[in-house]
C-alpha cells in the first residue's frame, strides 16, 4: 500500500491531472517521469489525452475538442513536448483529404495559453550543482511582440504609420512587414502583481523588470508608470528596470544577483532559454503556465523528433516540472523531495544523459532519481553508491596500449564525456590504464602543531589500481610526492591523477611513475588537508569518477572510461586507430588526404577502416 503524502492528511482531496504526452521525445519522457513520481504515493489521478502533430496531420487540429473537454474536467495539465512546423510544411503533412481546406496550424501551446488565459510563464532557474543561484523568469504570455499582430503587406493605416521610414519608402506597402508590440494596462498590471506575489511567496527581495526603455520609449514609459504605482503595495520588495541586453550579461556573469525577473513575451522567451543555459541546458529546465483559473506545466525543451524512441532524452526537466506542478497543487514537501532527488543525481554525474556528459538512458536516469526519493534504495546524496561492474584485466590492458586521442574519439562516438579537464602529465612518455581508486581530501581549519597522515590510505590500494585524488583542484599544497610514489610502485599501482598538486617532480620522473596533476608546488599538504573518504564517487569538472571505472592516461591527459562501457570503448578505439593507420598509409603512398579519408571511413572511424579490397576501387 502506498503511503500518504508527507505534507497532507490521509484524507486529502485528490487532484486530477490531464497528461498530454505530445510528440517526439514527449511520450517517453512523460512515461519515465511518472513512473518515478509513483514512488511518492500522492493523491493524484492521471488522465491521458492527445495533443500535437499527429492530431494535426490526421484531424486538421492539433488540439481536438476531446482534449479541451479533458482540460475542463481536470485540475491542471502536464504537457510533454510539442512539434511545430512552418506554414508550408504544416500544410504538406496534412492527410490528403484535409489539404486545401483552409485549415491553419496554430501552435498548441499558444492555443492553450490564450484559451485558458494563462498569462504568466514561470521559468525556475536553479543551480543544481552548487546552489549559487535560484531565481525565476516570469514571461508575459498573451501580449507583447508575440501578440499575433504580424502583418506582411500593409493596409493604409499601417502604411501611414511607417511610410516615412526610408526602407519602407524604398519597398512600398506591398513589400513591407510590421509586427506590433502590444502592452496594455490590464496585461501589465496582472503580470506585475503576479511577479510581486511570487517574490513574496518564495522569499525573494528583488523584482527586476526587463525591457528596453531607451529605445521603446512610449511603451517603456507606460510599463515604468505601472511598476511605480503597483510597487507601492509591496514596500519590502526592491524594484528595478534593466535593459534586456544588460540582464543577459548579468545572468551569465552574476546570476545570484537576481530574484524575480518579469518581462514581456519576446524578451522573456529569450531570457528564459538563457536561464536554461545557465542551469546547464534545456534538459534541466522546467516551466509552468499560470492564469487566474487554469494552468499547465511543461519542460522547456522541444520535441526533438530525431531523438524519439532512442532512450536518450534527459527526463530531469520533466521531473523538475512535476515538482513545480506539485507546488502549485499545494504539495510542497513531495515537490522538494523530488527536486532533492534530481539534485542528488545531477551532482553525482554518475547516471546522467549525454547532454550532461554521461551515457545513461532516459529510463535509467529516472530510476536513479526514484532511488533517491524517501523509501528508495538510496536515502541521501552522501550515501556511498554501490560498486560498478568489474572490468577484466585484459580490457584494461587493451586500453593501456591505446593512445588517449583514440579512446577520446571512441567516448565521443558514444556521447560520453571522459576528459578530466586541467589535469596534465608530469612524467613525459608515461602511458597507462588502471581501475579507479578514489580519494577525497578536505581542508584543515588550522594547524594544531602536528602533521596528519592523510595518505595512509595507500596501504590499502590494490595492485592494478589507478589512484584518483580530489583536493578541489587546489594548488596551495601537495597531495603526492616521492615517498608515495615509491610505495605505490611497490604495491603495483598503475598511476595517480590529482585534482590538486604534487611535488618532488624530479624524483618522480626519475622513477618513471605515471603522475598527472592540476599543478605542482613544494608546499606540503601535511598540515593543510586531511583524508575525507575513499571509495566515493567524485566529480572533477563535468566528469564523475566511480571506483572501478577505467582511468586511461598518457601525455595528452587523463580520461575516465565508465566500467560498463570499457570493452565497447576499447573495441571502438582500436578501430579508430586502425582507420587512422590506414589513412596514413594511403597518404604515404601518394593518395590525397581527402580521398583517403573518404575511402577509409574517416566520418565514423570507430566502425573501422573500409574493406581492404575496396582500397583500390
Amino acid at each position: 500500500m502506498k503511503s500518504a503524502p508527507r505534507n497532507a492528511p490521509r484524507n486529502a482531496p485528490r487532484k486530477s491531472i490531464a497528461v498530454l504526452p505530445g510528440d517526439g521525445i514527449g511520450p517517453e519522457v512523460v512515461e519515465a517521469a511518472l513512473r518515478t513520481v509513483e514512488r511518492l504515493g500522492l493523491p493524484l489521478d492521471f488522465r491521458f489525452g492527445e495533443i500535437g502533430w499527429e492530431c494535426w496531420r490526421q484531424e486538421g487540429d492539433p488540439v481536438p475538442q476531446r482534449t479541451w473537454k479533458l482540460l475542463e474536467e481536470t485540475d491542471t495539465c502536464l504537457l510533454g513536448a510539442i512539434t511545430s512546423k512552418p506554414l508550408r510544411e504544416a500544410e504538406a503533412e496534412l492527410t490528403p483529404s484535409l489539404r486545401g481546406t483552409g485549415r491553419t496550424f496554430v501552435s498548441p501551446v499558444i492555443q492553450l495559453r490564450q484559451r485558458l488565459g494563462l498569462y504568466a510563464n514561470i521559468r525556475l532557474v536553479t543551480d543544481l550543482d552548487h546552489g549559487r543561484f535560484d531565481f525565476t523568469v516570469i514571461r508575459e504570455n498573451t501580449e507583447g511582440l508575440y501578440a499575433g499582430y504580424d502583418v506582411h503587406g500593409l493596409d493604409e493605416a499601417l502604411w501611414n504609420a511607417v511610410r516615412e521610414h526610408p526602407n519602407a519608402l524604398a519597398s512600398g506597402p506591398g513589400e513591407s512587414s510590421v509586427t506590433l508590440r502590444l502592452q496594455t494596462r490590464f496585461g501589465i498590471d496582472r503580470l506585475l502583481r503576479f511577479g510581486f506575489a511570487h517574490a513574496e511567496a518564495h522569499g525573494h527581495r528583488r523584482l527586476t523588470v526587463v525591457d528596453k526603455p531607451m529605445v521603446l520609449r512610449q511603451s517603456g514609459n507606460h510599463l515604468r508608470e505601472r511598476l511605480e504605482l503597483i510597487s507601492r503595495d509591496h514596500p519590502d520588495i526592491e524594484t528595478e528596470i534593466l535593459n534586456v541586453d544588460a540582464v543577459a550579461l548579468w545572468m551569465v556573469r552574476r546570476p545570484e544577483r537576481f530574484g524575480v525577473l518579469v518581462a514581456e513575451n519576446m524578451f522573456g522567451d529569450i531570457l528564459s532559454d538563457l536561464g536554461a543555459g545557465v542551469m546547464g541546458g534545456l534538459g534541466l529546465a522546467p516551466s509552468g503556465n499560470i492564469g487566474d483559473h487554469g494552468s499547465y506545466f511543461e519542460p522547456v525543451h522541444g520535441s526533438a523528433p530525431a531523438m524519439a524512441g532512442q532512450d536518450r532524452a534527459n527526463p530531469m526537466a520533466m521531473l523538475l516540472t512535476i515538482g513545480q506542478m506539485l507546488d502549485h497543487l499545494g504539495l510542497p514537501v513531495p515537490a522538494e523531495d523530488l527536486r532533492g532527488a534530481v539534485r542528488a543525481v545531477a551532482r553525482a554525474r554518475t547516471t546522467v544523459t549525454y547532454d550532461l556528459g554521461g551515457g545513461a538512458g532516459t529510463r535509467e536516469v529516472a530510476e536513479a532519481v526514484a532511488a533517491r526519493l524517501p523509501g528508495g534504495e538510496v536515502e541521501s546524496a552522501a550515501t556511498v553508491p554501490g560498486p560498478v561492474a568489474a572490468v577484466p584485466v585484459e580490457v584494461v590492458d587493451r586500453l593501456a596500449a591505446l593512445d588517449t586521442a583514440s579512446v577520446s574519439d571512441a567516448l565521443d562516438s558514444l556521447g560520453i564525456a571522459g576528459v578530466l579537464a586541467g589535469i596534465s602529465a608530469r612524467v613525459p612518455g608515461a602511458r597507462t590504464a588502471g581501475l579507479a581508486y578514489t580519494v577525497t581530501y578536505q581542508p584543515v581549519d588550522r594547524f594544531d602543531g602536528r602533521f596528519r597522515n592523510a595518505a595512509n590510505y595507500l596501504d590499502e590500494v590494490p595492485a592494478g589500481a589507478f589512484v584518483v585524488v580530489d583536493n578541489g583542484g587546489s594548488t596551495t599544497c601537495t597531495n603526492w610526492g616521492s615517498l608515495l610514489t615509491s610505495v605505490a610502485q611497490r604495491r603495483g599501482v598503475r598511476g595517480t591523477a590529482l585534482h590538486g598538486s604534487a611535488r618532488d617532480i624530479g624524483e618522480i620522473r626519475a622513477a618513471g611513475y605515471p603522475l598527472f596533476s592540476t599543478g605542482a608546488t613544494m608546499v606540503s599538504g601535511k598540515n593543510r588537508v586531511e583524508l575525507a573518504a575513499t571509495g566515493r564517487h567524485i566529480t572533477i569538472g563535468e566528469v564523475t569518477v566511480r571506483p572501478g571505472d577505467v582511468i586511461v592516461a598518457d601525455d595528452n591527459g587523463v580520461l575516465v572510461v565508465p566500467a560498463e562501457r570499457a570493452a565497447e570503448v576499447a573495441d571502438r578505439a582500436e578501430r579508430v586507430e586502425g582507420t587512422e593507420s590506414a589513412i596514413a598509409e594511403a597518404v604515404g603512398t601518394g593518395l590525397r588526404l581527402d580521398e583517403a579519408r573518404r575511402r577509409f571511413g574517416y566520418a565514423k572511424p570507430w566502425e573501422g577502416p573500409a574493406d581492404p579490397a575496396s582500397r583500390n576501387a
Side-chain angles (χ1 to χ4, degrees):
M1 179 179 177
K2 294 179 179 179
S3 61
R6 293 161 56 209
N7 68 320
R10 290 185 177 274
N11 296 324
R14 300 187 69 83
K15 299 289 185 178
S16 59
I17 316 296
V19 181
L20 306 178
D23 312 310
I25 62 173
E28 59 197 276
V29 169
V30 167
E31 179 186 10
L34 290 184
R35 285 182 180 274
T36 298
V37 173
E38 286 178 0
R39 299 283 187 98
L40 293 168
L42 300 175
L44 303 175
D45 295 320
F46 296 106
R47 298 178 57 187
F48 287 79
E50 296 176 296
I51 195 171
W53 196 249
E54 279 306 306
C55 295
W56 163 254
R57 291 181 66 249
Q58 300 299 326
E59 305 176 42
D61 188 349
V63 192
Q65 286 304 309
R66 61 185 177 276
T67 300
W68 290 116
K69 184 173 185 297
L70 175 63
L71 292 171
E72 291 172 0
E73 296 170 351
T74 49
D75 293 299
T76 189
C77 171
L78 183 66
L79 180 63
I82 296 294
T83 297
S84 291
K85 297 185 181 182
L87 182 65
R88 294 179 187 174
E89 288 85 345
E91 171 73 16
E93 291 200 25
L94 279 171
T95 189
S97 63
L98 294 175
R99 294 175 194 163
T101 59
R103 297 175 186 269
T104 301
F105 181 86
V106 178
S107 168
V109 296
I110 292 177
Q111 291 193 53
L112 291 176
R113 291 168 183 174
Q114 292 183 345
R115 184 160 169 172
L116 301 178
L118 310 181
Y119 58 86
N121 178 226
I122 297 90
R123 304 280 186 94
L124 307 180
V125 184
T126 305
D127 181 5
L128 296 175
D129 273 339
H130 307 293
R132 294 180 300 112
F133 56 83
D134 181 12
F135 64 94
T136 303
V137 178
I138 301 178
R139 163 191 172 190
E140 205 287 325
N141 262 344
T142 64
E143 51 183 41
L145 203 63
Y146 290 176
Y149 299 107
D150 184 55
V151 180
H152 175 71
L154 308 184
D155 61 17
E156 183 178 359
L158 285 175
W159 176 245
N160 286 336
V162 302
R163 66 188 305 162
E164 298 304 321
H165 193 285
N167 293 357
L169 283 173
S171 302
E175 295 299 327
S176 298
S177 303
V178 167
T179 301
L180 300 178
R181 179 169 101 142
L182 177 68
Q183 295 207 150
T184 66
R185 177 191 56 77
F186 175 78
I188 292 171
D189 285 6
R190 70 178 179 180
L191 181 71
L192 291 175
R193 291 193 178 100
F194 187 96
F196 278 113
H198 184 90
E200 290 167 345
H202 293 83
H204 295 298
R205 290 291 171 259
R206 174 181 291 163
L207 183 141
T208 303
V209 174
V210 184
D211 203 50
K212 194 70 176 177
M214 301 296 191
V215 176
L216 304 171
R217 294 178 180 274
Q218 297 301 320
S219 59
N221 187 60
H222 184 202
L223 178 60
R224 178 180 179 178
E225 289 176 347
R226 302 313 301 173
L227 174 65
E228 290 173 344
L229 178 65
I230 293 171
S231 65
R232 296 172 189 170
D233 297 329
H234 306 275
D236 294 332
I237 305 294
E238 175 190 348
T239 63
E240 60 184 356
I241 300 178
L242 296 182
N243 284 320
V244 61
D245 45 343
V247 171
L249 171 66
W250 289 113
M251 279 178 65
V252 174
R253 295 290 299 276
R254 285 184 57 202
E256 69 279 1
R257 81 173 298 279
F258 294 114
V260 173
L261 293 91
V262 175
E264 67 96 39
N265 214 329
M266 186 183 76
F267 292 159
D269 185 17
I270 295 168
L271 291 180
S272 57
D273 273 14
L274 176 59
V278 171
M279 283 185 72
L282 291 175
L284 298 173
S287 78
N289 293 270
I290 311 294
D292 292 333
H293 305 291
S295 60
Y296 81 84
F297 296 83
E298 63 176 336
V300 173
H301 63 68
S303 62
M307 196 189 299
Q310 298 180 28
D311 192 42
R312 295 184 65 212
N314 189 346
M316 289 183 175
M318 175 57 76
L319 289 163
L320 292 170
T321 294
I322 293 174
Q324 192 173 344
M325 181 184 75
L326 295 179
D327 279 328
H328 180 72
L329 293 174
L331 298 168
V333 173
E336 185 51 39
D337 286 340
L338 188 56
R339 282 189 290 268
V342 172
R343 279 195 299 268
V345 174
R347 287 173 178 172
R349 285 294 198 275
T350 55
T351 310
V352 293
T353 45
Y354 76 98
D355 54 313
L356 298 182
T362 306
R363 290 185 294 273
E364 187 180 358
V365 172
E367 289 167 2
V369 173
R372 299 279 185 173
L373 292 171
E377 297 172 4
V378 181
E379 285 295 330
S380 75
T383 304
V384 180
V388 299
V391 181
V393 173
E394 59 268 22
V395 174
V396 178
D397 289 342
R398 286 169 60 197
L399 288 165
L402 291 161
D403 191 287
T404 53
S406 302
V407 178
S408 179
D409 287 347
L411 290 170
D412 283 347
S413 74
L414 294 168
I416 300 171
V419 178
L420 293 186
I423 297 181
S424 304
R426 299 295 166 189
V427 179
R431 174 179 288 189
T432 186
L435 300 179
Y437 183 97
T438 59
V439 179
T440 306
Y441 281 147
Q442 62 189 7
V444 173
D445 290 337
R446 61 186 179 82
F447 181 46
D448 60 3
R450 64 187 180 90
F451 286 160
R452 286 164 170 78
N453 295 315
N456 283 356
Y457 68 85
L458 199 55
D459 292 324
E460 309 302 325
V461 179
F466 195 115
V467 176
V468 183
V469 176
D470 184 14
N471 189 32
S474 172
T475 57
T476 60
C477 67
T478 60
N479 316 116
W480 195 269
S482 58
L483 176 59
L484 299 189
T485 293
S486 63
V487 173
Q489 286 181 315
R490 287 197 303 271
R491 295 195 60 81
V493 175
R494 293 195 172 194
T496 299
L498 305 174
H499 189 214
S501 285
R503 68 176 185 175
D504 305 333
I505 300 299
E507 293 95 323
I508 296 171
R509 285 177 178 168
Y513 181 75
L515 175 69
F516 306 81
S517 70
T518 306
T521 178
M522 79 292 294
V523 180
S524 171
K526 295 184 181 75
N527 60 351
R528 291 173 172 82
V529 296
E530 60 187 0
L531 185 65
T534 61
R536 298 287 182 90
H537 296 187
I538 58 178
T539 300
I540 299 173
E542 298 296 324
V543 176
T544 295
V545 184
R546 304 170 301 170
D549 283 340
V550 184
I551 308 300
V552 186
D554 61 16
D555 282 342
N556 293 320
V558 182
L559 289 170
V560 181
V561 178
E564 63 274 15
R565 310 297 288 272
E568 184 180 10
V569 170
D571 289 343
R572 289 188 173 220
E574 287 167 350
R575 290 196 288 268
V576 168
E577 291 201 354
T579 299
E580 295 282 4
S581 296
I583 292 171
E585 180 183 345
V587 170
T589 63
L591 191 67
R592 285 171 53 92
L593 176 60
D594 57 352
E595 174 60 20
R597 284 179 165 175
R598 183 195 63 77
R599 184 172 298 182
F600 293 103
Y602 180 77
K604 294 183 177 181
W606 54 87
E607 295 181 354
D611 188 331
S614 70
R615 295 182 184 179
N616 297 319

